[in-house]
Amino acid sequence: MQGLRCLHGLELGFDPLTALIGANGTGKSSTVRAVQFLFGQVELDDDGCTDGLPDGEVHVTGVFTDLPTDWADRLRPWLSADGTLTRSRTRGGDGKPVVR
């Protein structure tokens, strides 16, 4: 995650059950928002971007490993050779999606 609210270069792993616990202002809601953004459930406005970054770009990448067999079978066209699925989404500083 890069450029989303207080999240700067954060790498985070999730287990089958993950709880986000912390004081106010530490990024719990921003982490949830990043996952929602990654899957296209929300769009970000300028308030969702980190102040002070030169371009205001937000980038979120998810790498999914150890997929259940039935999921891997359905997702096979998008899996890498090692069976992982990588999904990225970027919002440019102008608020538009970035295609790379």
Side-chain angles (χ1 to χ4, degrees), residues 7-56:
L7 306 178
H8 305 275
L10 177 67
E11 291 188 24
L12 184 62
F14 292 99
D15 289 322
L17 176 62
T18 299
L20 302 175
I21 301 170
N24 290 343
T26 58
K28 300 176 304 292
S29 296
S30 295
T31 300
V32 171
R33 190 105 171 134
V35 173
Q36 291 173 320
F37 173 70
L38 177 65
F39 288 106
Q41 294 179 338
V42 298
E43 294 300 327
L44 301 175
D45 56 18
D46 289 341
D47 291 335
C49 298
T50 303
D51 293 332
L53 288 180
D55 58 8

